[in-house]
Short mmCIF file of all heavy atoms in Angstrom, two decimals:
data_model
loop_
_atom_site.label_atom_id
_atom_site.label_comp_id
_atom_site.label_asym_id
_atom_site.label_seq_id
_atom_site.Cartn_x
_atom_site.Cartn_y
_atom_site.Cartn_z
N LEU A 13 5.44 17.21 5.32
CA LEU A 13 5.20 17.68 6.72
C LEU A 13 6.28 18.53 7.22
O LEU A 13 5.97 19.61 7.88
CB LEU A 13 4.96 16.40 7.57
CG LEU A 13 4.74 16.75 9.07
CD1 LEU A 13 3.37 17.20 9.26
CD2 LEU A 13 4.99 15.57 9.88
N VAL A 14 7.51 18.23 7.08
CA VAL A 14 8.68 19.02 7.58
C VAL A 14 8.60 20.38 6.84
O VAL A 14 8.83 21.37 7.43
CB VAL A 14 9.96 18.29 7.36
CG1 VAL A 14 11.11 19.20 7.67
CG2 VAL A 14 9.97 17.13 8.33
N PHE A 15 8.39 20.35 5.55
CA PHE A 15 8.54 21.64 4.77
C PHE A 15 7.32 22.50 5.20
O PHE A 15 7.44 23.72 5.30
CB PHE A 15 8.46 21.26 3.27
CG PHE A 15 8.53 22.56 2.41
CD1 PHE A 15 9.72 23.28 2.42
CD2 PHE A 15 7.40 22.95 1.67
CE1 PHE A 15 9.82 24.35 1.58
CE2 PHE A 15 7.52 24.06 0.83
CZ PHE A 15 8.71 24.75 0.87
N ALA A 16 6.16 21.96 5.38
CA ALA A 16 5.00 22.81 5.82
C ALA A 16 5.25 23.39 7.25
O ALA A 16 4.91 24.47 7.44
CB ALA A 16 3.68 21.85 5.81
N TRP A 17 5.82 22.60 8.10
CA TRP A 17 6.12 23.12 9.51
C TRP A 17 7.18 24.19 9.50
O TRP A 17 7.23 25.02 10.32
CB TRP A 17 6.38 21.97 10.39
CG TRP A 17 5.12 21.46 11.06
CD1 TRP A 17 4.57 20.32 10.78
CD2 TRP A 17 4.31 22.10 11.98
NE1 TRP A 17 3.40 20.12 11.52
CE2 TRP A 17 3.18 21.22 12.30
CE3 TRP A 17 4.38 23.25 12.71
CZ2 TRP A 17 2.24 21.53 13.15
CZ3 TRP A 17 3.34 23.62 13.58
CH2 TRP A 17 2.33 22.76 13.81
N VAL A 18 8.19 23.99 8.58
CA VAL A 18 9.14 25.10 8.44
C VAL A 18 8.58 26.45 8.00
O VAL A 18 8.83 27.48 8.54
CB VAL A 18 10.21 24.63 7.44
CG1 VAL A 18 11.10 25.74 7.03
CG2 VAL A 18 11.13 23.58 8.06
N ILE A 19 7.59 26.34 7.09
CA ILE A 19 6.90 27.54 6.66
C ILE A 19 5.98 27.98 7.79
O ILE A 19 5.98 29.33 8.01
CB ILE A 19 5.95 27.24 5.44
CG1 ILE A 19 6.88 26.90 4.18
CG2 ILE A 19 5.05 28.42 5.12
CD1 ILE A 19 6.13 26.46 3.04
N PHE A 20 5.27 27.19 8.47
CA PHE A 20 4.41 27.71 9.57
C PHE A 20 5.19 28.29 10.68
O PHE A 20 4.65 29.27 11.32
CB PHE A 20 3.52 26.51 10.08
CG PHE A 20 2.34 26.16 9.14
CD1 PHE A 20 2.04 24.84 8.96
CD2 PHE A 20 1.74 27.05 8.45
CE1 PHE A 20 1.05 24.46 8.11
CE2 PHE A 20 0.71 26.71 7.62
CZ PHE A 20 0.35 25.32 7.39
N MET A 21 6.36 27.79 11.02
CA MET A 21 7.02 28.30 12.18
C MET A 21 8.04 29.36 11.94
O MET A 21 8.55 29.96 12.75
CB MET A 21 7.83 27.05 12.80
CG MET A 21 6.81 25.97 13.28
SD MET A 21 5.49 26.59 14.30
CE MET A 21 6.17 26.41 15.87
N THR A 22 8.24 29.74 10.70
CA THR A 22 9.17 30.81 10.29
C THR A 22 8.48 31.98 9.74
O THR A 22 8.67 33.15 10.15
CB THR A 22 10.28 30.38 9.45
OG1 THR A 22 9.70 29.78 8.15
CG2 THR A 22 11.15 29.39 10.02
N LEU A 23 7.72 31.77 8.73
CA LEU A 23 7.09 32.85 8.02
C LEU A 23 5.84 33.39 8.64
O LEU A 23 5.69 34.68 8.78
CB LEU A 23 6.72 32.45 6.52
CG LEU A 23 7.97 32.06 5.64
CD1 LEU A 23 7.44 31.65 4.30
CD2 LEU A 23 8.91 33.21 5.55
N ILE A 24 4.88 32.58 9.03
CA ILE A 24 3.66 33.08 9.56
C ILE A 24 3.81 33.80 10.91
O ILE A 24 3.18 34.87 11.09
CB ILE A 24 2.61 31.81 9.59
CG1 ILE A 24 2.38 31.43 8.17
CG2 ILE A 24 1.36 32.24 10.34
CD1 ILE A 24 1.47 30.21 8.08
N PRO A 25 4.64 33.23 11.89
CA PRO A 25 4.64 34.00 13.18
C PRO A 25 5.27 35.38 12.93
O PRO A 25 4.87 36.38 13.56
CB PRO A 25 5.51 33.16 14.00
CG PRO A 25 5.29 31.83 13.54
CD PRO A 25 5.13 31.93 12.02
N THR A 26 6.24 35.53 12.01
CA THR A 26 6.84 36.82 11.77
C THR A 26 5.82 37.82 11.21
O THR A 26 5.84 39.02 11.58
CB THR A 26 8.11 36.73 10.93
OG1 THR A 26 7.74 36.11 9.69
CG2 THR A 26 9.22 35.97 11.64
N LYS A 27 4.96 37.29 10.31
CA LYS A 27 4.01 38.25 9.78
C LYS A 27 2.91 38.60 10.86
O LYS A 27 2.40 39.72 10.79
CB LYS A 27 3.32 37.57 8.53
CG LYS A 27 4.23 37.41 7.41
CD LYS A 27 3.46 36.92 6.16
CE LYS A 27 4.27 37.03 4.89
NZ LYS A 27 4.46 38.36 4.42
N VAL A 28 2.52 37.63 11.68
CA VAL A 28 1.54 37.92 12.70
C VAL A 28 2.08 38.95 13.71
O VAL A 28 1.39 39.84 14.08
CB VAL A 28 1.07 36.66 13.31
CG1 VAL A 28 0.21 36.90 14.59
CG2 VAL A 28 0.26 35.79 12.35
N LEU A 29 3.30 38.74 14.18
CA LEU A 29 3.87 39.63 15.18
C LEU A 29 4.22 40.95 14.60
O LEU A 29 4.24 41.94 15.45
CB LEU A 29 5.22 38.93 15.73
CG LEU A 29 4.91 37.69 16.58
CD1 LEU A 29 6.24 37.03 16.98
CD2 LEU A 29 4.08 37.99 17.76
N ALA A 30 4.44 41.11 13.25
CA ALA A 30 4.73 42.38 12.69
C ALA A 30 3.39 43.26 12.54
O ALA A 30 3.49 44.39 12.16
CB ALA A 30 5.39 42.21 11.43
N HIS A 31 2.21 42.56 12.70
CA HIS A 31 1.04 43.31 12.48
C HIS A 31 0.73 44.34 13.55
O HIS A 31 1.00 44.12 14.72
CB HIS A 31 -0.14 42.30 12.53
CG HIS A 31 -1.46 42.88 12.25
ND1 HIS A 31 -1.91 43.38 11.05
CD2 HIS A 31 -2.53 43.16 13.14
CE1 HIS A 31 -3.12 43.89 11.14
NE2 HIS A 31 -3.57 43.78 12.39
N GLU A 32 0.35 45.51 13.16
CA GLU A 32 0.06 46.56 14.07
C GLU A 32 -1.43 46.74 14.10
O GLU A 32 -2.10 46.91 13.09
CB GLU A 32 0.74 47.88 13.56
CG GLU A 32 2.17 47.90 13.62
CD GLU A 32 2.87 49.25 13.23
OE1 GLU A 32 2.03 50.21 13.15
OE2 GLU A 32 4.03 49.32 13.13
N TYR A 33 -1.89 46.83 15.34
CA TYR A 33 -3.36 46.90 15.49
C TYR A 33 -3.75 48.41 15.50
O TYR A 33 -3.00 49.28 16.10
CB TYR A 33 -3.77 46.31 16.86
CG TYR A 33 -3.54 44.83 16.88
CD1 TYR A 33 -2.39 44.24 17.36
CD2 TYR A 33 -4.44 43.98 16.31
CE1 TYR A 33 -2.23 42.97 17.47
CE2 TYR A 33 -4.24 42.63 16.24
CZ TYR A 33 -3.13 42.03 16.88
OH TYR A 33 -2.90 40.72 16.94
N PRO A 34 -4.93 48.74 14.95
CA PRO A 34 -5.29 50.11 14.76
C PRO A 34 -5.66 50.74 16.15
O PRO A 34 -5.48 51.88 16.31
CB PRO A 34 -6.44 50.16 13.77
CG PRO A 34 -6.94 48.73 13.89
CD PRO A 34 -5.77 47.78 14.18
N ASN A 35 -6.28 49.88 17.09
CA ASN A 35 -6.62 50.45 18.31
C ASN A 35 -5.61 50.07 19.30
O ASN A 35 -5.52 48.89 19.82
CB ASN A 35 -7.91 49.84 18.76
CG ASN A 35 -9.07 50.34 17.77
OD1 ASN A 35 -9.01 51.42 17.23
ND2 ASN A 35 -10.06 49.47 17.53
N ASP A 36 -4.74 51.12 19.79
CA ASP A 36 -3.72 50.71 20.69
C ASP A 36 -4.31 50.67 22.20
O ASP A 36 -4.83 51.77 22.62
CB ASP A 36 -2.61 51.80 20.66
CG ASP A 36 -1.47 51.52 21.50
OD1 ASP A 36 -1.32 50.35 21.90
OD2 ASP A 36 -0.66 52.36 21.73
N PRO A 37 -4.28 49.64 22.86
CA PRO A 37 -4.92 49.53 24.19
C PRO A 37 -4.17 50.33 25.18
O PRO A 37 -4.64 50.77 26.27
CB PRO A 37 -4.89 48.07 24.55
CG PRO A 37 -3.86 47.47 23.72
CD PRO A 37 -3.72 48.28 22.43
#
Side-chain angles (χ1 to χ4, degrees):
L13 176 74
V14 169
F15 184 67
W17 272 105
V18 166
I19 291 173
F20 286 141
M21 298 311 266
T22 57
L23 297 177
I24 293 175
T26 56
K27 288 186 174 286
V28 170
L29 291 175
H31 180 74
E32 293 183 9
Y33 294 100
N35 297 330
D36 187 17

